[in-house]
Amino acid sequence: MSDAREDGAAPTGGPGVLRPIPAPDRVGIPESADLEAYADFARRIQLETVGTDEFSYSAAELAVLGGNPYLERRRFGIFDADRLVAAAAAWWERADVGGAPMITMVGVDPAHRRRGLGGRVLDAIEASARDAGRESTILISEHRTDDGTGERLHAPQGGASLPAGAPSVRFARSRGYELGQLLVASALEVDGRGAEFRRSAEQAARSDGYRLEHWRDHTPEEHLDAFAAARSQMVAEAPSGAVDFPDEHWDAARILDEEARAVDAGRTHLTVAAIAADGEVAGFTILALAPGKRGAYQDDTLVLGPHRGHGLGMRMKLANLVALTEAAPDRSVVYTWNADENGPMLAINRELGFRPHSIQATWQRG
């Protein structure tokens, strides 16, 4: 879901009933009506904002994924009669008792903008987070790469920028948020390129003590602990600009829980890991395939610090592109998100043929 496209000078108040949006464990029941309305609302907002609904979740997926015991998720919506016209969604790590920030997104129906609805749902979600001990907030907004002209706003690192006059930019700044990082969202057409990726993977192979292992949906038991240790390093080692992203604590139990929920939600995960001679997971990359979509999402990719400089990032990505074209030949595009200051990973993506699709902005307050 996108940001609230409202000017900070918009009046407060506005019509509609503000209430929490519950997340029952299944859809098609009276208790799931608001969640189903939210899923459709978020899909429409994203389609308008970035030109595709490929990144949206169905209500059935949200119901299954929402029961994650490791992440707290909360949603608030404003309903005008039976129609959802504004919503905010937030999540944070439950295990982090240090008051790490929540992450939130806000959206407002185009026909109801400039009535203060974005501010109302943001107020509600921020208050809910404060009640849970979360004083700091990270706000996510999405933008097309050609979103406006004129004065530009730059993040502390990287060369990408946003139009300072964009409604979502004005909204975030009016609420006291500061731009901390920009992510470049890119797309790669993969249809019919399996043989090409296979040749490239063979050319990139090295005999340097690392081996690549691939699995679908379920991590082999012998790699669970090492994979969990590597996943726990993602936030610490990935570029974060000026944003205080919360740490993620992974162990074998969390890996198994995530995998079981993904399968129940109809999602497929394709993982390639680089295994060092001592059995340590030196790096990994994950592709996620949601039901009913034409694309695949490049989830986390990381090469741990001691293992960089061996071309593992490119080797893992190529191996997973081969796996994708073999396992799901109907998927025709891969989407990825990278920090604008992450030069090495952006260089890999450009070499593979990724082209910028949109910009994701990360704002922080508190």
Side-chain angles (χ1 to χ4, degrees):
M1 184 175 61
S2 175
D3 56 289
R5 290 174 158 270
E6 295 195 11
D7 194 311
T12 59
V17 176
L18 172 67
R19 63 175 183 258
I21 297 175
D25 59 4
R26 64 188 188 279
V27 296
I29 58 176
E31 294 80 4
S32 68
D34 283 0
L35 183 66
E36 293 174 47
Y38 170 82
D40 181 65
F41 171 84
R43 181 193 62 80
R44 289 185 285 107
I45 292 293
Q46 189 174 84
L47 182 62
E48 180 220 357
T49 304
V50 296
T52 181
D53 60 0
E54 277 285 294
F55 317 141
S56 63
Y57 289 78
S58 69
E61 289 179 278
L62 292 176
V64 173
L65 299 174
N68 189 325
Y70 300 93
L71 286 178
E72 176 73 17
R73 296 181 185 272
R74 298 184 184 181
R75 300 180 183 91
F76 284 83
I78 296 176
F79 291 81
D80 186 4
D82 292 330
R83 182 175 176 82
L84 181 61
V85 296
W91 59 97
W92 59 82
E93 290 281 321
R94 284 180 170 167
D96 197 322
V97 297
M102 76 161 184
I103 302 173
T104 188
M105 300 183 79
V106 178
V108 178
D109 185 279
H112 292 77
R113 289 175 184 158
R114 295 196 54 76
R115 302 181 187 181
L117 302 187
R120 285 179 64 193
V121 290
L122 185 56
D123 283 341
I125 207 78
E126 288 176 344
S128 180
R130 284 194 300 272
D131 289 343
R134 311 287 158 160
E135 297 294 336
S136 179
T137 307
I138 293 171
L139 179 67
I140 304 295
S141 63
E142 293 176 310
H143 310 259
R144 299 187 189 224
T145 52
D146 58 351
D147 191 5
T149 58
E151 181 187 353
R152 309 294 295 185
L153 182 66
H154 293 265
Q157 300 177 23
S161 63
L162 299 175
S168 53
V169 173
R170 295 198 303 269
F171 175 79
R173 299 175 81 180
S174 75
R175 299 286 306 205
Y177 287 87
E178 295 184 358
L179 182 61
Q181 187 180 46
L182 293 176
L183 301 183
V184 179
S186 305
L188 173 69
E189 297 293 333
V190 299
D191 193 27
R193 299 182 63 189
E196 173 190 344
F197 294 141
R198 193 173 297 105
R199 287 193 299 271
S200 296
E202 292 171 353
Q203 293 169 0
R206 301 184 191 178
S207 299
D208 55 3
Y210 296 97
R211 70 181 189 278
L212 300 185
E213 294 201 11
H214 168 264
W215 56 83
R216 175 172 176 163
D217 293 333
H218 302 290
T219 304
E221 184 176 357
E222 64 268 25
H223 295 314
L224 269 174
D225 290 335
F227 186 46
R231 294 285 303 264
S232 293
Q233 293 301 309
M234 184 68 202
V235 173
E237 297 209 20
S240 58
V243 181
D244 180 25
F245 286 107
D247 290 336
E248 294 181 1
H249 308 282
W250 289 84
D251 56 17
R254 183 169 182 175
I255 296 287
L256 293 173
D257 179 82
E258 179 191 59
E259 292 174 347
R261 290 183 186 281
V263 170
D264 287 347
R267 291 192 154 218
T268 296
H269 282 176
L270 303 175
T271 301
V272 168
I275 311 297
D278 61 0
E280 178 184 6
V281 173
F284 64 91
T285 186
I286 305 169
L287 286 173
L289 287 65
K293 303 294 187 180
R294 62 182 288 264
Y297 318 127
Q298 179 67 70
D299 207 331
D300 289 346
T301 297
L302 177 67
V303 178
L304 277 72
H307 303 282
R308 291 172 187 164
H310 300 277
L312 292 177
M314 176 65 82
R315 290 153 66 180
M316 293 189 304
K317 284 200 168 191
L318 283 168
N320 224 12
L321 288 172
V322 172
L324 173 66
T325 58
E326 293 176 347
D330 57 312
R331 304 286 169 147
S332 57
V333 61
V334 172
Y335 298 99
T336 189
W337 292 259
N338 299 100
D340 183 50
E341 68 269 27
N342 191 352
M345 195 60 70
L346 288 171
I348 290 173
N349 289 340
R350 284 193 296 269
E351 186 175 347
L352 287 169
F354 280 92
R355 295 293 178 265
H357 173 273
S358 55
I359 298 288
Q360 186 179 97
T362 307
W363 309 79
Q364 186 158 17
R365 190 187 71 190

